[in-house]
Amino acid sequence: MIFSRKRAAGRHARDERATDALQTVDGAESASEAPARGPYDVSEAPDGVQRLDLGSLQIPAVPEVEVRVQADPQGVIQQVVLVHGPSALQLGVFAAPRSEGIWDEVREEIRKSLYNDGAAAQEVVGEYGTELHARVRTEDGLTNLRFVGVDGPRWMVRAVYQGAAATDPAAAGPLADCLDGLVVDRGQEAKPVREPLPLRLPREAGGQVEADAEAAPAPGAR
């Protein structure tokens, strides 16, 4: 099932966030209240922002960005894709250890998997650190993908750009704004490392999900 809604309206590894948050005031350093950009942990997310609450992920409302959610009959979300024009952004969030990030390991596993499937992948430094750029063969032909990872406190966000935003980060536009404003609610429950954090449909979406059950999937989301 697919729930589609148009919304109106960091590196975020902890050590770098801490460095960015320090500001000099009269020669002394003081920490700002929150990071300048996300993805944010729910404990440090700015107030006053309209967001679509999907449980572990809260997606900010950005004009002209369509949120497409694929869920099973019980309302458990299998896939979240944001679409804007010719570009799409697939989001996933996973449990991580308290002591260190896991994006470096995950990125290497993705690279090896792509290589085994006959697709070459290149590491490129982006806004959030090292990204993975690849070109894969799908049912629709060759598709460009850009994998971005963001390590947070006991969580990791994996974002995959498709379409124009996969080859030109400047084309990400509103999709990049969604990633910058994303909020992760990890919860306190112990979870195995790399286990997907639970996502659920918002209560008000139930009726619309049924109506959109036969809607087409997001670009490249198969």
Side-chain angles (χ1 to χ4, degrees), residues 44-200:
E44 58 190 9
D47 296 327
V49 178
Q50 182 186 1
R51 302 183 181 97
L52 176 63
D53 188 351
L54 300 179
S56 295
L57 282 181
Q58 298 175 21
I59 301 172
V62 175
E64 301 305 318
V65 171
E66 184 179 3
V67 181
R68 300 185 182 180
V69 176
Q70 189 171 20
D72 64 18
Q74 288 71 46
V76 178
I77 293 175
Q78 310 296 325
Q79 183 172 257
V80 178
V81 179
L82 313 184
V83 179
H84 179 264
S87 298
L89 176 62
Q90 184 175 355
L91 296 172
V93 62
F94 306 87
R98 186 184 303 273
S99 58
E100 59 184 357
I102 60 175
W103 171 236
D104 287 345
E105 295 179 7
V106 170
R107 185 178 68 251
E108 178 61 16
E109 291 177 2
I110 295 172
R111 187 192 66 78
K112 290 181 178 178
S113 177
L114 290 169
Y115 178 82
N116 292 336
D117 289 339
Q122 178 183 10
E123 290 191 341
V124 177
V125 176
E127 287 187 287
Y128 291 94
T130 305
E131 303 176 351
L132 201 61
H133 295 196
R135 199 175 194 193
V136 301
R137 189 173 298 278
T138 68
E139 296 177 0
D140 298 325
L142 291 175
T143 299
N144 291 300
L145 301 176
R146 178 160 63 96
F147 296 84
V148 177
V150 184
D151 287 311
R154 300 176 66 212
W155 52 259
M156 183 203 75
V157 168
R158 184 190 65 200
V160 186
Y161 284 101
Q162 305 169 47
T167 54
D168 180 12
L175 295 179
D177 292 340
C178 289
L179 183 58
D180 284 349
L182 198 68
V183 173
V184 178
D185 188 350
R186 164 65 172 77
Q188 300 303 315
E189 182 181 350
K191 295 182 181 298
V193 173
R194 303 193 192 188
E195 178 177 297
L197 298 182
L199 299 172
R200 54 167 173 72

Side-chain angles (χ1 to χ4, degrees), residues 1-4 69-76 201-216:
M1 298 181 180
I2 295 176
F3 163 54
S4 301
V69 176
Q70 189 171 20
D72 64 18
Q74 288 71 46
V76 178
L201 289 172
R203 294 174 183 173
E204 68 273 14
Q208 190 167 357
V209 172
E210 294 297 332
D212 293 344
E214 300 301 323

